[in-house]
């Protein structure tokens, strides 16, 4: 008996049951597909990190790949639904999924071992494409395809299938948050790839089930939209351009803000996924039928958040890094919510759904490429960040030129005058009183409040203030140098006595260039920072000399080259450095003279230390010093059991490995003790001893962990009361290339 022969109530009940099964199957497939799509992003990027020295920029370039692959998937879904309609569409896509499944489990593609010395970003894009391109592409197409198929059914909700996009982003959001909190600390990387493969196979089964349930509907046209007028209006090129712009700005902001915070803490999934998870959460909110944050509220508070961020960036009232990061992420979330809210308001009828997603993905790709690839070449500082903040203001509703001609003249005239003033200050290095500058900036920020409803002047003032702040900093004597591995700033102290090198918010080297009377200092420079006489690293070099002389020692991480001046004439010193920009800075005697005065011919081996140190002869060094942090971001692959095994292999008998683990956010001494013990070594830790820290003279205390095959190999430092034995914590898993636990290190740091 057919459904039409049943009583009316039974037919309705049967239809309701069928609709429920259909929606549950589609929702499960979309949810799982999104979860797999976004779980693979931190998982595979973490796998790739060691290839490029753990640089934060690896995630920025990875985001460009993911956005581009997402665009390819959305474009494929759009073309498939347009040119291969009906049931053939399901068959073709299942075939694509099966071909992608044949490439599993995920791994780094063969032939992609060592990156080139230049063009790292494009090499990295090729590595991602060769390794995970096909599975990611296939997954990216699932959400728009399933929504388009659902729109052809007789389900009551088929007229507006965009709520399924919210469900998709819920899956993405939960997968991202669970990765650093649950998956990374508890599941080894090799097991993660196996579980991910199982999920991919389950998804294929769900897609096949969904295809079977949808089979009788797939030759239908999409269900009519509630509003016939909207349905009749096909999107125009102007609509497409608007979608692209509204998607590009938050995508670029995502890359910029993630690079900013991961540079100052660690290049790890924990800090990658937080902005990305919030980015996805905004899609969940704006495409929900009842958004938990109304669009009008996001629009209303955006100016306040932006003004707060600008004030913090210029006046620096917040010193705690956690507070600063929270503000940056908060502003990013609100700006993204506004942009995506405007996108949701402009979504087309269901028949144009795949085109909408495709153009939205075009915008995401443009934003990612602009911030992740183009900006590092175009700017020598993070100029894209203030530019994107200003562009986020322009995404607010109500964007228009001043109505009156006189107002237009005043507005554009003010822009010309402001630009001319910036160029004048920069060209002639004009001095400006700091108090006057602060009052001018404060006045401009107050005036900006008057334009909070008018995006154009508001954005212009914000952009001017942030760009002017950079120009003023450069006039004060600071020089910025940018590379794939970050932005380095060389500056002089206010009294002119010291020149420093910083990366992010952390100093990486300093030199005394004038004495207390202002006279220039010439000759052999004095090591400062963590390398002064009596520092932990100096004690280790002295202990090695006491055991045998001359010695051979290697330093991983060049900085300004300070440790070259701790060598005796007959010693052999080798540096291992991944960043060509750092080498150029350290070799420039007009900036720092440690190398030119102490070791002008010192070999500097360019490349990731795990790869290049492996090329050295076994037993080469009496001492290996690992001091390779970028800002406070730690290169995890240099602090694993496998990395320590490489160091030990290159040590001479009785040699010592020393790892500098000073960090504001992470406790790492126990991590080093664990990887040392896993290689049969004993560890001692020094946290500054009896040395008095003196910030004004650039004498800093640091934490150094030394490891050796036997305690007697430490020589005289084994008798020092300031070098304590560091026992491994039996409760901690040993960090390996397959496992690390950043959250645990953060918790231990806060517990100190």
């Amino acid at each position: 008996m057919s459904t039409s022969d049943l009583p009316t109530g039974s037919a309705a009940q049967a239809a309701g049951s069928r609709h429920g099964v259909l929606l549950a199957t589609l929702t499960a497939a979309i949810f799982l597909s999104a979860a797999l799509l976004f779980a693979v992003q931190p998982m595979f990027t973490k796998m790739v990190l060691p290839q490029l020295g753990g640089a934060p920029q690896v995630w920025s370039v990875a985001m460009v790949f993911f956005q581009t692959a997402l665009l390819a998937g959305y474009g494929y879904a759009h073309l498939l639904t347009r040119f291969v309609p009906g049931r053939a569409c399901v068959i073709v896509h299942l075939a694509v999924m099966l071909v992608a499944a044949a490439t599993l489990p995920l791994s780094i593609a063969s032939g992609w071992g060592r990156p080139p010395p230049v063009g790292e970003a494009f090499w990295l894009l090729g590595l991602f494409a060769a390794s995970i391109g096909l599975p990611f592409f296939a997954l990216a197409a699932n959400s728009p395809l399933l929504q388009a198929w659902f729109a052809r059914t007789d389900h009551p909700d088929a007229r507006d299938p965009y709520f399924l996009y919210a469900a998709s982003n819920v899956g993405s959001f939960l997968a991202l948050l669970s990765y650093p909190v649950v998956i990374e600390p508890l599941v080894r990387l090799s097991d993660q790839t196996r579980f991910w493969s199982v999920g991919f196979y389950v998804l294929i089964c769900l897609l096949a089930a969904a295809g079977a349930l949808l089979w009788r509907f797939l030759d239908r046209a999409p269900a009519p939209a509630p509003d016939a007028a909207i349905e009749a209006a096909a999107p125009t090129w102007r609509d497409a351009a608007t979608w692209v712009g509204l998607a590009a700005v938050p995508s670029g902001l995502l890359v910029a803000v993630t690079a900013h915070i991961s540079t100052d803490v660690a290049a790890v999934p924990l800090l990658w996924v937080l902005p990305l998870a919030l980015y996805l959460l905004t899609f969940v909110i704006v495409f929900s039928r009842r958004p938990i944050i109304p669009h009008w509220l996001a629009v209303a508070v955006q100016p306040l958040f932006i003004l707060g961020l600008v004030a913090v960036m210029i006046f620096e009232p917040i010193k705690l890094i956690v507070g600063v990061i929270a503000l940056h992420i908060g502003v990013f979330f609100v700006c993204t919510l506004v942009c995506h809210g405007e996108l949701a308001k402009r979504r087309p009828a269901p028949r144009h759904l795949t085109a909408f997603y495709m153009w939205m993905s075009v915008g995401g790709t443009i934003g990612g490429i602009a911030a992740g690839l183009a900006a590092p070449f175009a700017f020598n500082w993070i100029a894209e960040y203030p530019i994107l903040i200003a562009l986020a203001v322009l995404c607010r509703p109500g964007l228009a030129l001043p109505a009156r001609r006189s107002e237009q003249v005043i507005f554009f005239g003010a822009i010309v005058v402001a630009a001319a003033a910036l160029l004048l200050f920069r060209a002639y290095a004009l001095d400006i009183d700091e108090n006057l500058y602060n009052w001018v900036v404060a006045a401009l920020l107050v005036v900006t409040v008057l334009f909070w409803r008018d995006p154009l002047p508001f954005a212009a003032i914000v952009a001017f203030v942030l760009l002017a702040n950079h120009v003023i900093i450069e006039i004060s004597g600071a020089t910025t140098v940018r590379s794939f591995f970050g932005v380095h700033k060389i500056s002089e102290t206010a009294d002119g006595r010291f020149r420093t090198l910083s990366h992010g918010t952390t100093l990486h080297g300093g030199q005394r260039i004038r004495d207390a009377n202002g006279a220039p200092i010439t000759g052999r420079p004095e090591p400062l920072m963590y390398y002064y006489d009596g520092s932990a690293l100096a004690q280790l070099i002295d202990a090695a000399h006491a055991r045998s002389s001359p010695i051979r020692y290697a330093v991983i991480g060049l900085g300004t080259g300070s440790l070259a001046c701790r060598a005796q004439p007959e010693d052999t010193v080798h540096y291992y450095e991944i960043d060509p920009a750092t080498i150029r800075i350290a070799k420039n005697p007009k900036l720092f003279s440690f190398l030119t005065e102490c070791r002008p011919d010192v070999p500097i081996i360019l490349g990731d230390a795990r790869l290049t140190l492996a090329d050295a002869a076994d037993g080469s060094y009496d001492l290996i010093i690992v001091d390779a942090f970028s800002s406070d971001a730690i290169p995890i692959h240099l602090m694993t059991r496998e990395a320590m095994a490489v160091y030990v292999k290159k040590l001479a008998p009785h040699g010592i490995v020393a790892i500098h683990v000073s960090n504001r956010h992470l406790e790492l001494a126990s991590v080093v003790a664990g990887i040392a013990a896993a290689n049969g070594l004993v560890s001692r830790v020094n946290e500054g001893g009896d040395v008095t820290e003196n910030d004004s003279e650039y004498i800093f205390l640091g934490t150094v962990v030394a490891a050796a095959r036997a305690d007697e190999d430490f020589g005289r430092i084994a008798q020092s009361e300031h070098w304590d034995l560091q026992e491994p914590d039996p409760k901690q898993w040993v960090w390996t290339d397959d496992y690390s636990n950043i959250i645990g290190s953060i918790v231990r740091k806060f517990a100190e």
Side-chain angles (χ1 to χ4, degrees):
M1 184 170 63
S2 67
T3 303
S4 59
D5 298 327
L6 293 171
T8 305
S10 299
Q13 186 176 6
S17 176
R18 177 169 48 80
H19 289 155
V21 172
L22 172 64
L23 186 58
T25 304
L26 287 175
T27 302
I30 288 176
F31 182 92
L32 178 58
S33 178
L36 291 172
L37 188 70
F38 282 86
V40 75
Q41 296 185 22
M43 179 179 72
F44 191 75
T45 306
K46 181 179 179 180
M47 193 183 301
V48 170
L49 261 181
Q51 304 292 106
L52 282 156
Q57 185 67 10
V58 171
W59 176 251
S60 298
V61 176
M63 287 300 301
V64 174
F65 168 79
F66 295 137
Q67 290 282 14
T68 305
L70 196 67
L71 170 60
Y74 282 4
Y76 154 75
H78 176 62
L79 295 175
L80 194 63
T81 55
R82 183 173 180 180
F83 295 108
V84 190
R87 298 168 180 174
C89 186
V90 174
I91 296 172
V92 170
H93 186 59
L94 282 173
V96 170
M97 290 290 294
L98 288 170
V99 171
T103 67
L104 302 179
L106 301 177
S107 62
I108 294 176
S110 59
W112 295 82
R114 186 171 299 188
V118 294
E120 300 94 341
F122 297 102
W123 178 88
L124 189 57
L125 290 174
L127 169 61
F128 271 90
S131 302
I132 64 169
L134 186 55
F136 195 93
F137 165 81
L139 287 173
N142 283 325
S143 180
L145 278 175
L146 289 170
Q147 290 177 63
W149 296 343
F150 178 67
R152 296 173 182 271
T153 69
D154 61 354
H155 194 284
D157 294 325
R159 294 177 299 173
D160 185 19
Y162 286 100
F163 73 94
L164 287 173
Y165 189 58
S168 168
N169 283 285
V170 168
S172 308
F173 177 76
L174 293 177
L176 283 171
L177 285 188
S178 64
Y179 189 85
V181 176
V182 178
I183 298 173
E184 186 184 24
L186 300 177
V187 184
R188 300 186 186 280
L189 200 54
S190 56
D191 293 330
Q192 292 175 30
T193 61
R194 284 195 290 271
F195 294 147
W196 193 91
S197 298
V198 171
F200 197 93
Y201 301 141
V202 171
L203 175 62
I204 293 176
C205 296
L206 281 173
L207 288 173
L213 292 170
L214 290 164
W215 193 255
R216 67 191 186 95
F217 298 110
L218 289 174
D219 289 327
R220 284 184 173 189
D227 191 327
I230 295 176
E231 174 66 19
T236 64
W237 285 108
R238 183 172 182 175
D239 293 328
T242 302
W243 297 337
V244 168
L246 289 171
V249 172
S251 173
L253 264 179
L254 171 64
V255 173
V257 77
T258 306
H260 176 81
I261 63 174
S262 63
T263 296
D264 285 332
V265 182
V268 292
L270 172 64
L271 294 177
W272 298 337
V273 304
L274 183 56
L276 182 54
L278 292 175
Y279 177 86
L280 295 172
L281 181 60
T282 63
F283 281 121
V284 175
I285 293 171
V286 301
F287 281 98
S288 298
R289 291 170 176 171
R290 295 180 180 178
I292 57 174
I293 302 177
H295 183 58
W296 66 264
L297 180 59
V299 171
V301 302
Q302 185 194 24
L304 297 177
F305 273 74
I306 289 177
L307 288 179
L309 178 63
V310 172
V312 167
M313 291 173 71
I314 293 176
F315 302 119
E316 299 182 349
I318 303 176
K319 303 302 181 184
L320 189 64
I321 191 68
V322 175
V324 175
I325 288 175
L327 180 59
H328 282 281
I329 291 179
V331 172
F332 161 75
F333 175 72
V334 172
C335 288
T336 303
L337 198 59
V338 169
C339 295
H340 288 165
E342 291 295 308
L343 260 177
K345 284 171 55 179
R346 292 167 169 79
R347 64 183 183 267
R351 70 165 62 241
H352 308 296
L353 176 147
T354 55
F356 172 68
Y357 287 141
M358 184 184 69
W359 286 115
M360 193 168 67
S361 184
V362 168
T365 302
I366 291 173
I369 290 174
L373 294 183
F377 289 98
F379 307 115
N380 67 343
W381 64 291
I382 311 294
E384 65 271 20
Y385 194 27
I387 291 171
L388 285 164
I389 290 173
L391 289 176
V393 175
L394 296 180
C395 292
R396 293 168 56 78
L399 176 63
L401 288 173
R404 298 178 181 177
R405 181 63 61 86
S406 58
E407 293 175 342
Q408 293 178 13
V409 171
I410 293 173
F411 175 72
F412 288 109
I415 291 178
V416 172
V417 171
L422 289 179
L423 292 173
L424 187 66
F425 272 98
R426 182 167 184 171
Y428 294 97
L430 299 178
D431 196 12
I432 183 172
D433 181 75
E434 184 177 354
N435 289 329
L436 175 62
Y437 169 71
N438 288 340
W439 277 108
V440 170
V441 170
L444 283 172
L445 294 181
V446 171
V447 170
T448 305
V449 177
L450 302 176
F451 299 102
W452 74 279
R453 290 181 180 273
D454 199 344
L456 203 55
F458 189 97
I461 295 175
V462 167
F464 171 75
V465 169
L466 291 176
L467 293 174
N469 187 61
H470 175 72
V471 170
I472 297 300
I473 289 173
E474 281 201 334
I475 290 172
S476 67
T479 301
T480 52
V481 178
R482 190 171 187 177
S483 71
F484 178 85
F485 301 95
V487 177
H488 310 274
K489 184 168 72 174
I490 302 102
S491 56
E492 293 185 12
T493 55
D495 60 9
R497 295 176 57 207
F498 300 92
R499 182 175 292 124
T500 61
L501 171 66
S502 61
H503 187 287
T505 60
T506 301
L507 289 173
H508 280 265
Q511 181 176 342
R512 193 190 308 272
I513 57 176
R514 295 181 183 88
D515 61 23
N517 298 319
I521 296 176
T522 59
R524 190 180 181 91
E526 166 196 5
L528 301 172
M529 309 287 284
Y530 302 100
Y531 317 110
Y532 53 87
D533 292 341
S535 66
L537 294 174
Q539 290 179 44
L540 286 167
I541 294 174
D542 292 343
H545 279 129
R547 186 174 57 244
S548 64
S549 193
I551 65 170
R552 296 172 56 90
Y553 66 93
V555 183
I556 297 174
L558 176 60
T560 57
S562 300
L563 284 174
C565 291
R566 302 231 67 93
Q568 294 181 2
E570 300 302 319
D571 291 345
T572 300
V573 184
H574 290 164
Y575 272 105
Y576 291 84
E577 174 58 49
I578 195 171
D579 190 351
T582 300
I583 296 175
R584 291 194 297 270
I585 292 169
K587 282 189 168 184
N588 186 346
K590 295 180 180 179
L591 298 176
F592 301 97
S593 61
F594 293 106
L595 294 184
T596 53
E597 291 289 341
C598 299
R599 285 296 169 112
D601 299 322
V602 63
I604 303 175
I605 297 92
L606 178 64
D608 178 71
R610 276 280 298 268
L611 300 174
T612 54
L613 185 64
D615 295 335
D618 294 349
S620 295
Y621 301 112
D622 299 291
L623 176 64
I624 296 175
I625 298 173
V626 182
D627 189 20
F629 285 33
S630 296
S631 190
D632 263 355
I634 61 170
I636 290 176
H637 72 296
L638 297 181
M639 302 181 64
T640 64
R641 180 183 62 200
E642 293 83 355
M644 182 63 81
V646 174
Y647 307 149
V648 173
K649 192 175 182 180
K650 305 306 170 183
L651 280 182
H654 312 295
I656 300 173
V657 176
I659 302 182
H660 185 191
V661 295
S662 301
N663 197 281
R664 291 171 292 180
H665 319 297
L666 308 171
E667 187 282 315
L668 299 169
S670 61
V671 173
V672 177
I675 65 174
N679 282 279
L681 308 179
V682 293
S683 302
R684 287 187 175 270
V685 61
N686 183 297
E687 298 190 71
D690 59 352
V691 177
T692 302
E693 190 166 65
N694 189 339
D695 289 356
S696 63
E697 295 295 322
Y698 287 87
I699 302 297
F700 301 147
L701 300 183
T703 302
V704 175
V705 181
R709 297 181 179 92
D711 200 40
E712 53 267 26
D713 292 340
F714 290 119
R716 61 191 187 192
I717 71 169
Q719 283 72 51
S720 171
E721 61 179 322
H722 304 300
W723 284 90
D724 300 323
L725 279 172
Q726 180 79 20
E727 297 291 341
D729 185 347
K731 298 179 182 178
Q732 288 186 38
W733 287 13
V734 175
W735 284 22
T736 67
D737 289 348
D738 211 30
Y739 171 83
S740 59
N741 185 1
I742 290 295
I743 288 182
S745 292
I746 293 174
V747 170
R748 292 194 300 274
K749 185 68 174 181
F750 277 98
E752 288 181 348

